[in-house]
Amino acid sequence: MKGGTVQINWHDTKPVLTLDFHPISGILATGGADFDIKKGIPTASYQNSLSYHSTAVNALRFSPSGEQLASGADGGEMIIWKLHTTETGQSWKVLKNLSFHRKDVLDLQWSTDGAFLISGSVDNSCIIWDTNKGSVHQILDGHFHYVQGVAWDPLSKYVASLSSDRTCRIYVNKPQTKTKSVEKLNYICQHTITKAELQPTDDAKSVKNHLFHDETLPSFFRRLAWSPDGTFLLVPAGSYKVSPSSGTINTAYIFSRKDLSRPSLQLPCASKPVVAVRFCPIAFNLQGSNSAAFFKLPYRLIFAVATLNSLYIYDTESAPPIAVLAGLHYAAITDIAWSYDAHYLALSSQDGYCTLIEFEKGDLGLPISLPEPKTMNVEKSPIVQKPDDMIIETAIGDDLIKVDDKEKECAEKKEGTQASVPILVDALGDDDSIKVDNKEKECAERKEGIQASPSLVKAPISNKPAKRRITPMAIDP
């Protein structure tokens, strides 16, 4: 694995706010505060500029086919670009101007078939767009503050949004039947994940704690992501308290498709808040290095978790991260992107630069094809007695459900940040489960101020025990 900061001035040293790889050619597109979209090959050779936006470009994503590119900007601007092939080469031209958001667009994502697009905005709403018609299909207006992240389920059943109102909302498709038995997409809110209730051991009054950071989080982005097989939803900007009197722990939550009303795992102990997550688009063979992995899958999924100042790379076969990168940028990280072949991982920053991580053949394992979702089989873990220390509160329509959970601990060094093991919050459901490794794993991330040059920690990760024990525990559904 090789990594480094790309020393280029594609955006005139202004913040780079978003980036994405073309799903076929591997071209890297970036958007920033200079209003333009830049494109180049992963070696950072600049190709051309797409000029149309009159404000900062906050989000851009290629369509699954690679034939279109959607971009969202300040002021509510949204553009769909179309790839045109000519005798002299290829060029991108404006196809549609999507107008409805009243304020800045902060995130967007395509549906799997490329027929729809979801966007989140500072106007507190999500909009589902019909990309063929270039019109609004549905408005999801349940949030009470900025919508900073949106994600479209690859199996097309759910969409998810994350807001600075400290909630994650899960919408499920309840199709409406039109004439001639044609079904129309219709998403309704199924879950609103909001708070956890800490119950003290004495007779003191219980205290509710939000599961996500509030609007003071120093980032406009909370980019969440589904796994490529649709099995898991990874959600950033998490905050967690071990007890009412303890400090806040930064975390990212993993939700199982079997129960999207509550987190199944959390990845705690980042020194800074988590602002973006992204799954690698392909799966890899099992390496057999850890027989007590958290996920009993027939393949390995790899995902990246970015805090404001560092990057963690995890896989589903091992408990600790397989790599940690720190000191990459002078300013906050804004977005993450994987190339279609997993050869590159890129992240953008407000300091005007991007970091490219190159994986040599075999670094991540042997790529394999994902099975059909209906044939996936996840083993069930042994039943463990329910603890009674915490209640996670979620809303389903007008009703509240309460789910028992156990207090979790996370050790942080005063002179650095430990990448702790994921903590099991609850079982995946009747058909799926997680097998827990109770051994602590520790991955030390150097923190000597913000550095211009990257600091990389690679696997193997030290198995030295942390100062306090972490005891993950499954919970009955």
Side-chain angles (χ1 to χ4, degrees):
M1 185 191 331
K2 297 184 292 185
T5 302
V6 183
Q7 302 292 327
I8 54 176
N9 290 327
W10 285 6
H11 296 273
D12 297 327
T13 70
K14 293 182 180 179
V16 183
L17 303 175
T18 183
L19 76 174
D20 198 28
F21 282 98
H22 190 275
I24 299 173
S25 68
I27 292 292
L28 176 65
T30 63
D34 64 343
F35 313 161
D36 287 348
I37 297 172
K38 312 294 185 181
K39 297 197 299 88
I41 59 177
T43 52
S45 173
Y46 174 72
Q47 282 196 343
N48 55 29
S49 177
L50 307 184
S51 298
Y52 187 91
H53 285 289
S54 59
T55 55
V57 179
N58 298 316
L60 59 81
R61 293 291 184 262
F62 286 103
S63 65
S65 67
E67 295 179 356
Q68 297 181 14
L69 171 68
S71 56
D74 286 354
E77 287 185 345
M78 284 192 64
I79 302 296
I80 294 181
W81 307 79
K82 175 72 173 178
L83 177 62
H84 293 268
T85 302
T86 63
E87 294 180 355
T88 57
Q90 295 180 334
S91 63
W92 292 84
K93 297 181 180 180
V94 173
L95 177 65
K96 292 182 176 69
N97 191 328
L98 307 181
S99 300
F100 197 87
H101 278 301
R102 301 182 301 276
K103 296 181 181 179
D104 305 356
V105 177
L106 299 181
D107 200 16
L108 55 85
Q109 191 172 20
W110 293 84
S111 62
T112 305
D113 60 4
F116 294 91
L117 190 70
I118 185 171
S119 58
S121 170
V122 173
D123 63 14
N124 303 352
S125 74
C126 301
I127 293 181
I128 295 177
W129 304 86
D130 185 320
T131 57
N132 295 320
K133 298 178 180 178
S135 61
V136 174
H137 178 79
Q138 187 179 356
I139 300 175
L140 309 177
D141 56 1
H143 284 292
F144 298 99
H145 213 272
Y146 305 162
V147 180
Q148 298 177 310
V150 290
W152 201 298
D153 170 24
L155 306 185
S156 301
K157 183 177 180 179
Y158 301 101
V159 295
S161 60
L162 187 59
S163 168
S164 49
D165 67 3
R166 313 188 82 170
T167 65
C168 176
R169 298 176 74 89
I170 309 295
Y171 299 86
V172 62
N173 183 25
K174 298 290 186 181
Q176 295 177 336
T177 302
K178 300 182 66 179
T179 58
K180 298 182 180 179
S181 300
V182 177
E183 290 188 341
K184 178 183 178 182
L185 284 181
N186 178 46
Y187 283 92
I188 62 172
C189 185
Q190 185 181 56
H191 304 294
T192 301
I193 297 92
T194 172
K195 292 181 180 180
E197 185 173 336
L198 301 178
Q199 299 226 348
T201 55
D202 53 20
D203 295 332
K205 186 178 179 180
S206 62
V207 178
K208 290 184 178 181
N209 180 60
H210 284 277
L211 292 175
F212 301 99
H213 281 281
D214 60 17
E215 69 275 6
T216 63
L217 178 71
S219 172
F220 275 107
F221 309 111
R222 306 181 187 213
R223 306 188 194 271
L224 62 167
W226 288 89
S227 61
D229 59 3
T231 306
F232 305 106
L233 175 66
L234 185 57
V235 182
S239 63
Y240 182 80
K241 282 191 174 183
V242 175
S243 66
S245 59
S246 66
T248 298
I249 297 171
N250 296 304
T251 186
Y253 297 110
I254 297 179
F255 290 78
S256 164
R257 187 181 190 85
K258 291 296 182 181
D259 185 1
L260 292 170
S261 67
R262 52 187 177 174
S264 293
L265 282 171
Q266 62 178 9
L267 308 172
C269 288
S271 62
K272 298 288 185 180
V274 179
V275 296
V277 297
R278 199 89 178 254
F279 276 88
C280 180
I282 60 178
F284 297 87
N285 66 322
L286 295 174
Q287 296 180 333
S289 58
N290 188 351
S291 60
F294 281 86
F295 306 91
K296 299 300 292 184
L297 297 172
Y299 45 80
R300 292 166 55 241
L301 298 177
I302 295 177
F303 55 95
V305 175
T307 71
L308 288 168
N309 65 349
S310 57
L311 181 74
Y312 298 76
I313 303 175
Y314 288 89
D315 73 359
T316 54
E317 195 178 11
S318 57
I322 58 177
V324 178
L325 295 92
L328 297 169
H329 294 278
Y330 288 110
I333 294 171
T334 57
D335 203 359
I336 315 172
W338 290 86
S339 63
Y340 70 96
D341 57 0
H343 191 50
Y344 293 99
L345 173 63
L347 57 150
S348 56
S349 170
Q350 289 184 348
D351 64 7
Y353 297 103
C354 298
T355 290
L356 279 175
I357 303 164
E358 181 180 0
F359 298 97
E360 302 291 345
K361 185 177 181 180
D363 278 351
L364 299 177
L366 178 65
I368 60 174
S369 299
L370 283 170
E372 292 296 327
K374 292 183 180 179
T375 65
M376 289 189 303
N377 184 22
V378 183
E379 296 180 13
K380 187 170 181 62
S381 61
I383 296 177
V384 183
Q385 183 180 359
K386 294 193 294 186
D388 301 314
D389 297 355
M390 179 187 285
I391 295 174
I392 292 180
E393 184 179 283
T394 66
I396 306 181
D398 296 326
D399 299 328
L400 289 178
I401 64 171
K402 292 184 177 181
V403 182
D404 290 337
D405 188 270
K406 187 185 187 325
E407 287 185 2
K408 305 300 189 300
E409 293 188 24
C410 172
E412 283 192 39
K413 289 185 177 180
K414 294 181 179 179
E415 299 179 358
T417 302
Q418 291 183 8
S420 175
V421 298
I423 292 179
L424 183 64
V425 176
D426 57 43
L428 288 180
D430 294 335
D431 299 325
D432 292 345
S433 66
I434 298 172
K435 189 175 182 181
V436 182
D437 182 0
N438 286 328
K439 291 185 179 181
E440 271 109 345
K441 310 291 182 183
E442 181 179 307
C443 179
E445 176 189 323
R446 288 196 314 184
K447 184 181 179 185
E448 300 175 353
I450 300 177
Q451 304 171 9
S453 59
S455 171
L456 176 63
V457 181
K458 294 178 56 178
I461 306 296
S462 171
N463 290 328
K464 181 180 178 181
K467 292 182 179 179
R468 294 182 288 174
R469 291 210 47 94
I470 301 171
T471 310
M473 182 172 285
I475 292 179
D476 296 338

